[in-house]
Amino acid sequence: MSSRSTQILEAAARVIARRGVRGLRVEELAAEAGVSTGLIYYHFKDRTGILRHTLEFINDRAERYTTSRDPEAEPLSAREELDEVLLLELQDTPEVRENSSAWGELRASAVFDPVLREDLARATLVWVQEVAALLGQVQPMAPAATLAASAERLTALLEGLSMRWLSGGLAVDHARTLLREAVDVELAALRQP
């Protein structure tokens, strides 16, 4: 992706996080990105293209901040990796706040937008599958359907905790504690025959 496209998508994530999807105006996006509206249309064709690419952008950015590790660091156990990937979605940094806010706004708008709904469903499915794979590394004998159900519960809980934290209803440390406890519960259930 070109640096201009990235610049526009960074700006789109900021605008969506701040004003919501309905508040996303191409003129405001152009001003935020420091580019012309024509350049936005050149790269993304229309508003739907902007939203689709912004969803991909925030997913890619989340993957970067939840999976990047110092190559010199000791390898994590499967459980530590699972905890880290989930808990890094609840860190009080501008990037995570913006990403999580934009994701929540896109999720809310998907209720009324079938195209966005399909894209978000695909992105959510990929996330659930990634978490199920991590759970499977911790509990390799658990059935695939059970791992998927557990991952579904954990990712849904994480979204809810994130929204409560971002809206001031929950302290980030408490949200992280609740998530850790939920992981313990899910792993205990996966160990049951």
Side-chain angles (χ1 to χ4, degrees):
M1 186 172 292
S2 75
S3 63
R4 285 285 192 193
S5 295
T6 301
Q7 181 180 341
I8 294 167
L9 292 172
E10 287 170 345
R14 282 192 303 274
V15 171
I16 291 170
R18 220 178 25 240
R19 300 179 47 85
V21 171
R22 289 185 174 194
L24 178 67
R25 303 287 178 259
V26 176
E27 296 77 21
E28 182 182 353
L29 175 56
E32 180 78 23
V35 300
S36 69
T37 57
L39 188 61
I40 292 173
Y41 286 118
Y42 171 77
H43 283 288
F44 302 105
K45 307 292 183 245
D46 56 18
R47 191 169 188 280
T48 300
I50 295 167
L51 294 176
R52 280 184 153 162
H53 283 88
T54 303
L55 178 60
E56 290 174 23
F57 173 79
I58 64 172
N59 280 332
D60 290 346
R61 189 162 65 174
E63 187 171 341
R64 277 194 308 277
Y65 64 68
T66 59
T67 59
S68 66
R69 294 199 73 243
D70 179 358
E72 303 296 318
E74 290 291 318
L76 297 176
S77 70
R79 171 60 194 264
E80 290 169 334
E81 184 177 355
L82 172 66
D83 286 345
E84 185 171 285
V85 165
L86 293 173
L87 291 170
L88 286 175
E89 291 283 358
L90 293 170
Q91 52 180 325
D92 198 3
T93 66
E95 183 177 53
V96 172
R97 281 181 163 276
E98 181 180 283
N99 236 43
S100 296
S101 296
W103 175 268
E105 292 293 337
L106 288 162
R107 170 127 0 249
S109 291
V111 171
F112 306 103
D113 183 339
V115 172
L116 187 54
R117 189 178 315 140
E118 290 174 18
D119 291 341
L120 199 64
R122 275 191 295 278
T124 301
L125 178 61
V126 168
W127 185 29
V128 168
Q129 289 171 338
E130 289 170 355
V131 173
L134 290 169
L135 287 164
Q137 290 175 13
V138 179
Q139 291 298 326
M141 300 307 291
T146 307
L147 292 168
S150 180
E152 189 79 46
R153 285 188 293 272
L154 287 172
T155 55
L157 175 65
L158 180 51
E159 281 188 45
L161 291 172
S162 180
M163 288 302 109
R164 286 190 182 184
W165 158 57
L166 290 168
S167 63
L170 199 60
V172 70
D173 291 336
H174 186 57
R176 291 171 68 90
T177 298
L178 291 172
L179 186 59
R180 277 189 199 97
E181 290 170 355
V183 171
D184 289 339
V185 168
E186 291 296 336
L187 289 174
L190 289 172
R191 285 190 290 273
Q192 300 301 315

